[in-house]
């Protein structure tokens, strides 16, 4: 069934409308009962205004065991007049929607028997007025019993079909399952229509649709395609018959001959909502009368759902997921590749949105008619087809159909059939990750190009720890043309790719729409924070990554234990680095000293997260060699080091100047709000005189993670990023800046203004991270420069981090300048477009 025209965004889901209705679904193991239904014979009369009916059903059945009680389902709103077997009245009692008939004589197994149930009433569900007549419909599972007595589980089909004898006022034409074998006139201006359907049928697919129909019929490959049209809408019906022929031709080829070709394919304009794949008499609500896609969906159900039916409602995917994919395949025939792709994309986004809202798996979903069952289910088939290839997918699906048509099938049956064709590996992983798990993979991608190589890092960042096994193609864009990469198999959280490929303008994931996923972030590395986790801190790098995601800072998590040390080429590309180390082992054992030295000496903004690392560092001459700073995670020790030249700057931060090493030092006081100070952990921000922004953190991550709002790692990282110069939406005030000779102001139009603050003249140069000088100016005192992000040839430069160097002319140099041999100030700016 398809619930509603999918263009409508305020999409009312009939099942969800039945709020409070609990589904009582049989478990997998409960697929047998005391008898097997062979056939129903339903005689029923409908009374104006078509909200009441009276009837009699004869159930032909075969006991599976010795039986003295026969359970039949019927809604409590309906009255039972009598129940007979061999013309002998049977006693019964009712519990909720089940009638328990106490048989006057017990039946042995396999003795084919008949029982007749006379009933009447006003159904609470299943019968609706429509177009001067009525329709029967099952908007929820096991609703057939609301209007007629039956064994209302889909796994006990009436093997020999159903006969219906339908009495209505003579102005109505009731359409039902199978073939119309006769119409009798009876007293009171009434007619009785006789419909006979001789295929196995599940109870929810039995339907009667009555109005003053016009019957439009075509012969298609020897069997009738019939459209029952509301008078005045024949043209719509004819158009839909045209597309029906196209759809039938496709499914005949892809799956098999129409399963009910000896009877008819009936399609009916009716009321209600959405559409319903009643066996051989498909109902369309007005909003789908002109929708070939909805027609394709319902017609596909003739194979998937009608002939082959899911074993139970937990596995509704067998019906709806499969049908939704064949609907897509029909869209390609009806609307071309573009229509096919649009439909696939529509289904992917709808499925992902449903996943985000509900987090339901496809199998055992609380709502068997949830959009994930339909649309993520369709994507299951799409991915399966891409995995095993057309040459196996279509034959395997045909075999699955042939084996189970006329009966029921389970997910296990589907998997077994597919595996009979695809012998490369068992597909348990595939079925498990896509059908039994909620949600979907989420991917971040970072890339940079260095010395002719394209470096790409892809990370699975879905919130749960599950790692998907997924194939992934990349789209490498050069201008308007896209080159599709080879397919990479991603089986771990991170995938590192290095290929000799010229530098693309941009990169997209999954350009050919083969994967059910969401891309979270695709970023050139130059704008990203590199989070290096040496693995000794219990993978807390992932927490920092989540925090960066929360505040929308592009970041790349680099796990040293699995990836080795980050290469220089990568470090050169990022805008700043968080280095997370453990607290227990000697972290310096795992830190690549050479790289750390490189980072520091090349002035890449660096934050180190680990108290213990700090204390380790303080016992070595390593940082002394490079920065001349000794640092400790112990606040008292730090205070000793930095002396007393503090200057409170609010929010619990103080500004220190270390007179010996000439480094300034922002240090959070003990109870400051908005700082990250915890017990014996703290952090500091160190900035060198020459304005290289180096953040040195000694936060003990395991201590700060559970802390309350004012002292969260989120605030810490915001503060650090802000200090690095990121345009972070940060509630904290800007950190104190040491005196310098250049003011940098970011303009709304993306350009950057440089102004001298001291009465000096200087030369200002801008460099990229590879050390290329891009543009230079002579800057006179009291003057300013507006940089529009171009180089000296006028080429527009990409967004990212740039180095600004201010060469101070000796003449007129301020006495305030630090006593350095080379009077060069360096700054960093972020060009943002
Ligand atoms: Zn459907």
């Amino acid at each position: 069934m398809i619930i509603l025209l999918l263009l409508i965004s305020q999409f009312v889901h009939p099942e969800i409308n039945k709020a409070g209705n609990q589904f009582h679904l049989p478990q997998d193991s409960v697929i047998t009962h005391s008898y097997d239904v062979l056939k129903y014979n339903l005689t029923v009369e409908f009374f104006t205004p078509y909200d009441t009916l009276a009837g009699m059903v004869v159930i032909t059945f075969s006991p599976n065991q010795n039986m003295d009680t026969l359970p039949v389902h019927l809604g409590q709103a309906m009255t039972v007049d009598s129940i007979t077997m061999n013309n002998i009245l049977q006693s019964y009692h009712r519990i909720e929607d089940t009638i328990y008939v106490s048989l006057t004589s017990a039946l042995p197994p396999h003795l084919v028997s008949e029982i007749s149930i006379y009933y009447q009433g006003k159904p609470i569900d299943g019968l609706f007025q429509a177009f001067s007549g009525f329709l029967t419909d099952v908007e929820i599972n096991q609703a057939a019993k609301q209007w007629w007595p039956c064994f209302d589980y889909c796994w006990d089909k009436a093997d020999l079909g159903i006969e219906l004898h339908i009495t209505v006022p003579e102005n109505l034409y009731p359409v039902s399952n199978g073939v119309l074998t006769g119409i009798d006139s009876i007293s009171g201006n009434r007619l009785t229509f006789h419909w006979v359907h001789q295929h196995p049928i599940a109870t929810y697919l039995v339907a009667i649709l009555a109005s003053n129909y016009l019957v439009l019929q075509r012969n298609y490959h020897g069997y009738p395609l019939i459209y029952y049209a509301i008078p005045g809408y024949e043209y719509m019906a004819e158009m839909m018959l045209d597309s029906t022929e196209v759809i039938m031709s496709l499914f005949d080829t892809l799956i098999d001959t129409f399963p009910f070709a000896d009877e008819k394919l009936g399609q009916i304009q009716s009321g209600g909502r959405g559409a319903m794949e009643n066996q051989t008499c498909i109902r369309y609500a007005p909003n789908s009368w002109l929708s070939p896609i909805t027609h394709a969906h319902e017609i596909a159900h003739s194979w998937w759902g009608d002939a082959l039916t899911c074993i139970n409602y937990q596995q509704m995917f067998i019906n709806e997921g499969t049908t939704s994919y064949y609907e897509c395949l029909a869209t390609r025939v009806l609307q071309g590749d573009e229509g096919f792709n649009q439909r696939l994309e529509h289904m992917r986004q709808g499925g992902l949105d449903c996943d985000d809202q509900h987090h339901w798996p496809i199998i055992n979903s609380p709502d068997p008619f949830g959009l994930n069952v339909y649309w993520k289910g369709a994507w299951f088939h799409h991915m399966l087809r891409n995995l095993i290839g057309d040459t196996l997918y279509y034959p395997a699906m045909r075999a699955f159909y042939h084996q189970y048509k006329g009966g029921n099938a389970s997910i296990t049956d589907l998997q077994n059939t597919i595996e009979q064709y695809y012998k490369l590996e068992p597909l348990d992983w595939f079925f498990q990750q896509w059908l039994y798990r909620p949600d979907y993979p989420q991917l971040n991608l970072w890339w940079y190009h260095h010395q002719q190589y394209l470096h790409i890092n892809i990370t699975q960042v879905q919130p749960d720890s599950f790692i998907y096994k997924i194939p992934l193609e990349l789209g490498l864009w050069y201008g308007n043309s896209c080159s599709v990469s080879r397919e990479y198999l991603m089986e771990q959280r991170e995938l590192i790719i290095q290929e000799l490929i010229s530098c693309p303008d941009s990169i997209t994931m999954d350009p050919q729409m083969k994967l059910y996923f969401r891309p979270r972030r695709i970023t050139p590395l130059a704008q990203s924070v590199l989070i290096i986790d040496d693995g000794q801190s219990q993978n807390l790098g992932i927490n920092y990554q989540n925090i960066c995601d929360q505040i929308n800072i592009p970041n790349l998590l680099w796990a040293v234990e699995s990836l080795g040390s980050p290469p220089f080429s990568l470090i050169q590309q990022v805008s700043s680095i968080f280095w997370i180390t453990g607290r227990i082992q000697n972290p310096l054992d795992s830190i690549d000293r050479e790289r750390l030295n490189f980072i520091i000496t090349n002035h890449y903004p660096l934050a180190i997260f680990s108290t213990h690392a700090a204390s380790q560092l303080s016992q070595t001459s390593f940082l002394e060699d490079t920065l001349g700073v000794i640092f400790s995670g112990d606040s008292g020790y730090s205070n000793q080091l930095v002396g007393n030249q503090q200057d409170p700057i609010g929010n619990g931060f103080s500004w220190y100047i270390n007179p010996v090493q000439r480094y300034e030092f922002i240090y959070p006081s003990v109870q400051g709000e908005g700082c990250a100070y915890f017990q014996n952990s703290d952090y500091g921000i160190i900035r060198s005189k020459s304005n290289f922004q180096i953040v040195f953190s000694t936060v003990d991550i395991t201590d700060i993670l559970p802390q309350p709002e004012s002292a969260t790692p989120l605030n810490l990282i915001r503060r650090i990023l802000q200090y690095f110069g990121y345009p972070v939406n940060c509630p904290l005030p800007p950190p104190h800046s040491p005196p310098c000779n250049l003011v940098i102001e970011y303009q709304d139009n993306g350009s950057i203004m440089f102004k001298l603050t001291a009465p000096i003249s200087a030369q200002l140069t801008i460099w990229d991270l590879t050390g290329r000088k891009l543009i230079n100016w002579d800057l006179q005192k009291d003057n300013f420069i507006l940089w529009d992000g171009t180089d000296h040839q006028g080429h527009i430069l990409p967004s990212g981090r740039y180095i600004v160097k201010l060469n101070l002319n000796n003449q007129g140099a301020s006495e305030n300048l630090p006593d350095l041999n080379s009077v060069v100030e360096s700054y960093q700016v972020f060009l943002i477009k």
Side-chain angles (χ1 to χ4, degrees):
M1 98 183 63
I2 198 157
I3 307 303
L4 206 63
L5 191 65
L6 305 166
L7 297 171
I8 299 171
S9 60
Q10 285 300 322
F11 171 66
V12 181
H13 214 278
E15 286 75 26
I16 292 168
N17 276 351
K18 311 274 179 185
N21 240 324
Q22 294 294 310
F23 296 122
H24 297 287
L25 303 180
Q27 295 303 309
D28 272 2
S29 54
V30 190
I31 52 169
T32 181
H33 58 137
S34 53
Y35 62 96
D36 177 29
V37 175
L38 301 178
K39 184 176 176 177
Y40 294 106
N41 194 323
L42 176 62
T43 302
V44 62
E45 177 165 7
F46 294 85
F47 307 105
T48 52
Y50 307 119
D51 58 354
T52 53
L53 57 86
M56 185 267 287
V57 66
V58 179
I59 304 174
T60 308
F61 65 96
S62 167
N64 291 321
Q65 58 196 61
N66 281 312
M67 64 184 291
D68 52 15
T69 304
L70 179 136
V72 180
H73 300 125
L74 182 66
Q76 295 173 80
M78 306 303 284
T79 304
V80 176
D81 294 329
S82 63
I83 299 176
T84 64
M85 180 178 271
N86 302 324
N87 294 319
I88 300 169
L89 271 178
Q90 307 290 311
S91 63
Y92 61 88
H93 65 281
R94 302 178 71 170
I95 300 174
E96 295 182 339
D97 285 349
T98 305
I99 306 167
Y100 295 91
V101 183
S102 304
L103 304 175
T104 47
S105 52
L107 300 174
H110 311 305
L111 177 68
V112 174
S113 311
E114 288 184 353
I115 191 161
S116 303
I117 302 170
Y118 296 79
Y119 75 108
Q120 59 178 300
K122 183 174 180 173
I124 58 163
D125 202 348
L127 175 63
F128 305 92
Q129 298 162 12
F131 293 101
S132 325
F134 63 89
L135 61 93
T136 67
D137 192 33
V138 287
E139 286 194 338
I140 56 171
N141 299 309
Q142 296 154 242
K145 67 186 174 196
Q146 298 299 342
W147 72 274
W148 68 287
C150 54
F151 190 83
D152 203 8
Y153 286 137
C154 64
W155 43 262
D156 188 6
K157 292 184 171 184
D159 306 85
L160 304 175
I162 185 168
E163 285 186 30
L164 299 105
H165 313 280
I166 305 155
T167 300
V168 292
E170 64 185 1
N171 64 316
L172 293 188
Y173 185 112
V175 184
S176 190
N177 310 96
V179 176
L180 180 65
T181 57
I183 305 172
D184 297 332
S185 279
I186 57 174
S187 61
N189 298 326
R190 295 177 299 166
L191 298 172
T192 299
F193 285 67
H194 304 277
W195 290 90
V196 176
H197 181 58
Q198 296 187 302
H199 290 266
I201 184 169
T203 50
Y204 75 93
L205 295 167
V206 172
I208 302 170
L209 304 112
S211 187
N212 53 339
Y213 287 122
L214 298 172
V215 181
L216 310 175
Q217 182 164 342
R218 291 187 191 181
N219 185 303
Y220 178 80
H221 292 235
Y223 61 89
L225 304 183
I226 308 179
Y227 222 98
Y228 300 90
I230 302 286
Y233 294 93
E234 301 91 309
Y235 72 100
M236 283 191 177
E238 292 289 357
M239 285 172 69
M240 289 302 105
L241 278 171
D242 290 344
S243 49
T244 296
E245 290 195 23
V246 175
I247 295 161
M248 296 302 282
S249 164
L250 174 73
F251 293 157
D252 275 355
T253 312
L254 277 190
I255 317 169
D256 191 20
T257 313
F258 178 59
F260 313 110
D262 56 344
E263 296 184 353
K264 73 172 188 303
L265 172 60
Q267 299 182 88
I268 299 131
Q269 290 181 338
S270 184
R273 289 175 289 194
M276 177 66 206
E277 68 270 20
N278 307 305
Q279 198 154 308
T280 70
C281 53
I282 298 167
R283 171 184 69 76
Y284 299 104
N287 58 15
S288 59
W289 285 358
L290 257 184
S291 166
I293 293 178
T294 305
H295 282 61
H297 180 99
E298 302 307 329
I299 291 169
H301 268 309
S302 300
W303 290 263
W304 310 120
D306 293 4
L308 180 158
T309 308
C310 59
I311 193 73
N312 59 32
Y313 298 114
Q314 285 94 343
Q315 305 192 23
M316 186 55 72
F317 155 81
I318 292 280
N319 292 14
E320 297 298 353
T322 311
T323 288
S324 295
Y325 190 55
Y326 279 72
E327 166 204 321
C328 266
L329 296 170
T331 306
R332 174 142 65 191
V333 178
L334 293 165
Q335 300 179 348
D337 283 348
E338 197 177 330
F340 174 70
N341 289 336
Q342 281 176 2
R343 191 79 190 131
L344 263 183
E345 185 58 29
H346 183 78
M347 287 187 173
R348 180 161 62 180
Q349 292 309 318
L352 293 171
D353 289 347
C354 177
D355 286 345
D356 285 344
Q357 190 181 354
H358 297 295
H359 308 287
W360 288 336
I362 288 179
I363 305 302
N364 296 320
S365 169
D367 180 2
F369 299 104
L371 274 188
N372 61 323
V373 175
Y374 283 68
W375 290 352
K376 185 180 179 183
W379 267 86
F380 170 90
H381 277 283
H382 187 58
M383 291 186 287
L384 178 64
R385 192 186 132 212
N386 279 311
L387 176 72
I388 70 176
D390 288 3
T391 53
L392 294 181
Y393 176 78
Y394 290 116
M397 288 303 290
R398 267 196 292 276
F400 177 58
Y401 171 76
H402 277 287
Q403 185 167 356
Y404 296 100
K405 71 173 176 180
N408 301 85
S410 69
I411 302 299
T412 310
D413 298 329
L414 175 65
Q415 184 178 338
N416 288 341
T417 310
I418 299 292
E419 285 177 346
Q420 283 165 19
Y421 281 75
Y422 182 70
K423 297 185 188 303
L424 276 182
E425 56 173 336
L427 289 175
D428 215 46
W429 64 271
F430 185 86
F431 279 71
Q432 286 292 326
Q433 75 176 14
W434 295 119
L435 294 179
Y436 290 87
R437 293 189 59 80
D439 304 329
Y440 52 86
Q442 301 177 32
L443 302 180
N444 279 354
L445 182 149
W446 295 265
W447 66 276
Y448 66 99
H449 197 267
H450 185 73
Q451 293 180 344
Q452 301 185 321
Y453 277 87
L454 180 63
H455 301 257
I456 295 171
N457 177 292
I458 301 164
T459 313
Q460 296 193 25
V461 294
Q462 56 275 7
D464 59 357
S465 58
F466 182 78
I467 304 298
Y468 287 85
K469 180 174 173 181
I470 45 179
L472 184 64
E473 291 175 344
L474 302 174
L476 309 171
W477 289 84
Y478 302 89
N480 288 327
S481 73
C482 178
S483 143
V484 178
S485 75
R486 67 185 174 89
E487 183 179 281
Y488 303 98
L489 180 65
M490 187 170 191
E491 295 183 85
Q492 295 180 319
R493 185 168 289 279
E494 287 160 310
L495 175 67
I496 308 284
I497 299 166
Q498 290 181 40
E499 300 259 16
L500 190 63
I501 294 175
S502 60
C503 185
D505 298 326
S506 63
I507 296 179
T508 55
M509 287 186 268
D510 190 34
Q512 305 197 97
M513 287 217 296
K514 294 179 173 176
L515 182 64
Y516 186 81
F517 82 117
R518 252 195 228 285
R520 278 295 169 203
R521 196 190 292 283
I522 301 177
T523 325
L525 265 176
Q527 298 162 34
S528 306
V529 172
L530 173 63
I531 301 173
I532 303 174
D533 187 352
D534 71 1
Q536 295 187 33
S537 43
Q538 299 154 16
N539 286 322
L540 289 165
I542 290 166
N543 292 307
Y544 277 85
Q545 187 185 29
N546 291 340
I547 292 166
C548 287
D549 283 343
Q550 277 178 47
I551 53 179
N552 210 26
I553 290 296
N555 61 83
L556 166 62
L557 180 64
W558 188 275
V560 172
E561 75 273 25
S562 62
L563 305 174
S565 291
F568 290 129
S569 57
L570 184 142
I571 289 170
Q572 286 169 357
Q573 296 283 332
V574 297
S575 58
S576 50
I577 298 161
F578 292 176
W579 198 307
I580 300 166
T581 74
R583 61 193 298 228
I584 300 158
Q585 305 295 323
N586 176 1
L588 285 184
D589 289 346
S590 66
I591 295 176
D592 183 329
R593 285 166 175 265
E594 190 185 10
R595 280 173 174 73
L596 187 53
N597 197 8
F598 176 89
I599 291 167
I600 293 168
T601 53
N602 285 282
H603 312 296
Y604 291 105
L606 168 69
I608 298 181
F609 294 82
S610 168
T611 302
H612 207 70
S615 68
Q616 292 286 333
L617 288 167
S618 73
Q619 291 161 19
T620 73
S621 60
F622 177 65
L623 278 184
E624 287 178 273
D625 294 343
T626 54
L627 289 176
V629 170
I630 302 171
F631 198 79
S632 166
D634 177 81
S635 59
Y637 188 35
S638 301
N639 273 314
Q640 273 182 11
L641 283 167
V642 298
N644 294 318
Q645 300 180 41
Q646 59 173 297
D647 172 23
I649 55 171
N651 276 36
F653 284 80
S654 293
W655 182 265
Y656 296 85
I657 295 172
N658 182 326
V660 180
Q661 281 93 6
R662 295 191 315 218
Y663 284 92
E664 292 146 336
F665 191 69
I666 299 174
Y667 193 76
S669 57
V670 177
Q671 278 133 357
E673 193 175 336
C675 72
Y677 183 89
F678 304 98
Q679 297 175 354
N680 57 358
S681 304
D682 53 61
Y683 78 96
I685 301 171
I686 299 170
R687 167 177 271 206
S688 77
K689 273 289 186 197
S690 54
N691 200 36
F692 294 122
Q693 298 168 343
I694 297 172
V695 174
F696 192 97
S697 167
T698 62
V699 175
D700 186 325
I701 300 152
T702 52
D703 287 342
I704 66 170
L705 279 173
Q707 295 301 318
E709 176 61 27
S710 65
T712 58
L714 179 72
N715 280 343
L716 167 68
I717 287 186
R718 277 184 174 144
R719 184 86 198 205
I720 292 170
L721 287 167
Q722 189 186 33
Y723 197 83
F724 279 160
Y726 272 95
V728 182
N729 178 18
C730 180
L732 303 172
H736 180 74
S737 296
C740 58
N741 291 299
L742 189 67
V743 171
I744 299 170
E745 288 180 5
Y746 292 88
Q747 309 294 308
D748 288 343
N749 64 1
S751 61
I752 300 173
M753 185 166 78
F754 303 108
K755 257 194 308 201
L756 286 175
T757 57
I760 52 171
S761 60
Q763 191 179 54
L764 191 148
T765 48
I766 295 182
W767 306 69
D768 70 13
L769 297 178
T770 64
R772 199 158 54 99
K773 190 160 91 175
L774 301 168
I775 191 165
N776 67 294
W777 299 273
D778 284 324
L779 195 55
Q780 300 305 315
K781 62 182 182 181
D782 303 327
N783 208 340
F784 70 90
I785 284 172
L786 208 53
W787 181 45
D788 62 359
T790 56
D791 67 10
H792 70 280
Q793 292 177 311
H795 296 140
I796 298 170
L797 296 163
S799 295
R801 185 163 62 94
Y802 292 87
I803 305 292
V804 177
K805 289 191 175 179
L806 192 66
N807 271 26
L808 303 177
N809 298 331
N810 286 333
Q811 187 186 2
S814 164
E815 290 177 6
N816 294 333
L817 286 174
D819 181 19
L820 298 171
N821 294 330
S822 162
V823 190
V824 177
E825 293 183 357
S826 287
Y827 303 82
Q828 293 176 63
V829 291
F830 287 84
L831 191 59
I832 299 161
K833 291 177 176 171

